[in-house]
Amino acid sequence: MLEYLAGFFDGEGCVSTEKRSGGGRTRHVSVQVVQIVNFRHILEEYQRRWGGQIYSKGTHPKRRRCLTWHTSGNGARKMLTALLPYLRVKRKQARLALHLLKLHARNVKRRPVSDKEQALRLKIAGRISVLNHLVV
């Protein structure tokens, strides 16, 4: 089943980073899978295994409704770790995101990070963004 979920994530998923609100110096890792409503059972499997939430999008009458599964932090770490051996398209993004999550985990007390660490986090986030925009 992990192979199937990895393949689905390779085709429909996204690894991204975003600035956290309220200070905005740290980078936050987010993973999501967006798919039309016909495949809700697959998103429910992601949710069952790694937590997170399923959201409904696209209420415009001329568009098909989409569902999004989203998780971050520890859920993202568990999901990416489990799927990493089977990922093909998003393997580099997953590795970079796991590295970024490890940096976050070191900062247990949520203290401000040094300029050097912040530069490293931004560099990793930038590499994930570049990989997400490459045409495969």
Side-chain angles (χ1 to χ4, degrees):
M1 185 63 158
L2 288 177
E3 295 92 341
Y4 179 80
L5 293 173
F8 196 86
F9 185 75
D10 265 341
E12 304 293 336
C14 178
V15 177
S16 61
T17 65
E18 55 196 35
K19 283 187 180 179
R20 287 237 170 148
S21 58
R25 275 187 51 89
T26 61
R27 299 301 289 189
H28 173 74
V29 176
S30 171
V31 294
Q32 60 185 3
V33 177
V34 181
Q35 185 48 256
I36 58 175
V37 73
N38 296 358
F39 297 104
R40 182 179 185 92
H41 65 283
I42 297 171
L43 301 184
E44 288 171 344
E45 182 65 22
Y46 282 99
Q47 186 179 41
R48 186 186 71 74
R49 288 173 179 262
W50 300 296
Q53 298 294 322
I54 297 174
Y55 301 99
S56 179
K57 291 186 175 187
T59 57
H60 190 278
K62 292 185 179 181
R63 295 189 187 135
R64 292 173 70 172
R65 187 168 65 106
C66 285
L67 295 175
T68 301
W69 169 78
H70 178 270
T71 190
S72 60
N74 197 42
R77 182 189 57 77
K78 288 178 181 179
M79 181 264 203
L80 293 171
T81 300
L83 298 186
L84 185 64
Y86 311 106
L87 293 174
R88 299 293 176 258
V89 177
K90 294 186 173 68
R91 182 177 291 201
K92 290 179 183 176
Q93 291 97 314
R95 283 185 175 148
L96 289 166
L98 286 168
H99 183 64
L100 194 53
L101 286 163
K102 186 185 281 188
L103 292 174
H104 283 282
R106 289 191 331 202
N107 189 9
V108 177
K109 295 186 179 183
R110 306 281 186 228
R111 294 189 175 133
V113 297
S114 68
D115 288 342
K116 183 178 179 181
E117 172 129 346
Q118 180 62 13
L120 176 59
R121 290 178 181 199
L122 290 173
K123 181 178 179 181
I124 293 169
R127 288 176 65 194
I128 291 170
S129 180
V130 167
L131 289 168
N132 285 342
H133 291 92
L134 292 177
V135 177
V136 181

